Amino acid sequence: FPVTIRLRMMGFGVGYGPLLFVLRKYLGVKAEGVELLDYSKRVTRKFGLPIRFDTDVTRRDLVGLIGKKDFDATYSVHFLESDVLESSLKVNRVLENLRQMTRLGGKSYHVVMDHQESFLSERDLLRHGFRLDAQKSVIGMNTLLVLTRIS
């Protein structure tokens, strides 16, 4: 995205929110996030980060709960992985929520540990309205998946 100011972004499984913090403070992105566990609530509140805690992103009514959709971009770091989501059913529910929250033509960025051992497949991505634009190796055993919502 050449212009980040006023870009609307939603993070899934943001933890302490370090990426959320950088996006908001230094790039002017209107970023917010959801997190299932509340271990980081005190720290993130101190920095004024808009994170909705105790939020299961596999919920079918997530969009209604958040009250927003059509974000320019969505993202996750080490979230779309088998040890976090534990089943292909949960991954598919998260992909459906990502589709509902990402505007048509919007981007979805995900750092995963080992794409080959995850529940993700290009077929699943297409079924949920995403095209895999890039799969890039990044530091360590991490892979960045760059997706575009196409339907």
Side-chain angles (χ1 to χ4, degrees):
F1 291 100
V3 176
T4 58
I5 295 175
R6 291 188 297 278
L7 185 72
R8 295 180 59 240
M9 208 165 190
M10 171 61 79
F12 279 55
V14 297
Y16 283 98
L19 182 55
L20 191 70
F21 178 81
V22 170
L23 289 168
R24 291 177 64 82
K25 183 166 176 98
Y26 299 105
L27 298 176
V29 174
K30 292 183 178 182
E32 54 191 275
V34 291
E35 174 60 51
L36 176 62
L37 305 173
D38 65 358
Y39 61 88
S40 62
K41 188 182 279 188
R42 191 175 57 151
V43 174
T44 58
R45 293 287 187 250
K46 178 180 174 184
F47 289 100
L49 296 177
I51 297 173
R52 182 182 295 269
F53 289 96
D54 303 318
T55 304
D56 181 355
V57 296
T58 64
R59 294 173 59 133
R60 292 180 194 268
D61 63 342
L62 182 66
V63 174
L65 178 71
I66 300 294
K68 299 176 184 174
K69 60 180 186 174
D70 295 329
F71 286 90
D72 299 307
T74 51
Y75 74 91
S76 71
V77 177
H78 298 294
F79 180 72
L80 290 178
E81 297 175 359
S82 58
D83 62 334
V84 175
L85 294 174
E86 301 168 342
S87 73
S88 59
L89 174 64
K90 288 184 177 182
V91 170
N92 282 307
R93 284 187 181 160
V94 169
L95 287 172
E96 181 56 26
N97 283 331
L98 284 167
R99 187 194 66 75
Q100 290 181 29
M101 297 185 88
T102 308
R103 71 169 173 77
L104 193 59
K107 296 291 187 181
S108 198
Y109 303 93
H110 305 279
V111 175
V112 294
M113 282 293 285
D114 186 350
H115 184 60
Q116 275 62 30
E117 292 182 11
S118 76
F119 293 115
L120 290 175
S121 71
E122 272 193 72
R123 189 176 131 204
D124 286 334
L125 295 172
L126 284 169
R127 192 174 76 234
H128 289 286
F130 287 101
R131 177 185 66 229
L132 178 62
D133 294 332
Q135 184 174 335
K136 303 175 184 180
S137 290
V138 291
I139 298 172
M141 295 178 62
N142 295 307
T143 300
L144 172 65
L145 305 175
V146 179
L147 313 174
T148 298
R149 180 172 167 217
I150 56 174
S151 66

